[in-house]
């Protein structure tokens, strides 16, 4: 599958990785998202990430966190706030993309969430994230998923 014109998939992937780290920091610190974004924006490897996408993900999760948690809740085995912070950040990020970034195929969303969870999360966290997101994608992207 080729990238839509003008989209650097590697830069988007880096933006997701950095967004996961920023969400983790936001969840633990309770800081304003603007402060978290400003902090991450000044880090050197942000130059090779899709900064616009990074900010969209973070503002999107912040704006819709309550509704994203409600969407995730039926598919998790505990309260959303009790989920490991890395896994919770990955789930919120992916839930935002599944619901609001319909330009990104659901398989890309799930795969990217699994990869960032493998990189930053607990040993089997990626399996948990995969199971939750597969069910969530069935709800939020039923038409797209059914077409496959």
């Amino acid at each position: 599958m080729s990238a839509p014109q003008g989209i650097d998939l590697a830069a988007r992937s880096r933006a997701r990785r950095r967004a996961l780290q920023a969400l983790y920091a936001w969840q633990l610190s309770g800081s304003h998202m603007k402060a978290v974004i400003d902090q991450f924006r000044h880090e050197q490897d942000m130059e090779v990430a899709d900064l616009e996408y990074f900010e969209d993900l973070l503002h999107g999760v912040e704006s819709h966190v309550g509704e994203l948690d409600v969407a995730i809740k039926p598919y998790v085995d505990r309260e959303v706030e009790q989920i490991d912070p890395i896994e919770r950040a990955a789930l919120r990020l992916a839930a935002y993309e599944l619901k609001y970034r319909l330009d990104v195929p659901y398989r890309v969303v799930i795969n990217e969430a699994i990869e960032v969870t493998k990189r930053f999360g607990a040993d089997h966290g990626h399996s948990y994230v995969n199971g939750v997101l597969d069910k969530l994608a069935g709800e939020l992207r039923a038409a797209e998923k059914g077409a496959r």
Side-chain angles (χ1 to χ4, degrees), residues 58-69:
L58 293 176
H59 287 302
V61 169
E62 179 188 36
S63 298
H64 301 284
V65 69
E67 128 192 17
L68 298 173
D69 287 355

Side-chain angles (χ1 to χ4, degrees), residues 3 49 98 144 146:
L98 287 171
E144 181 185 352

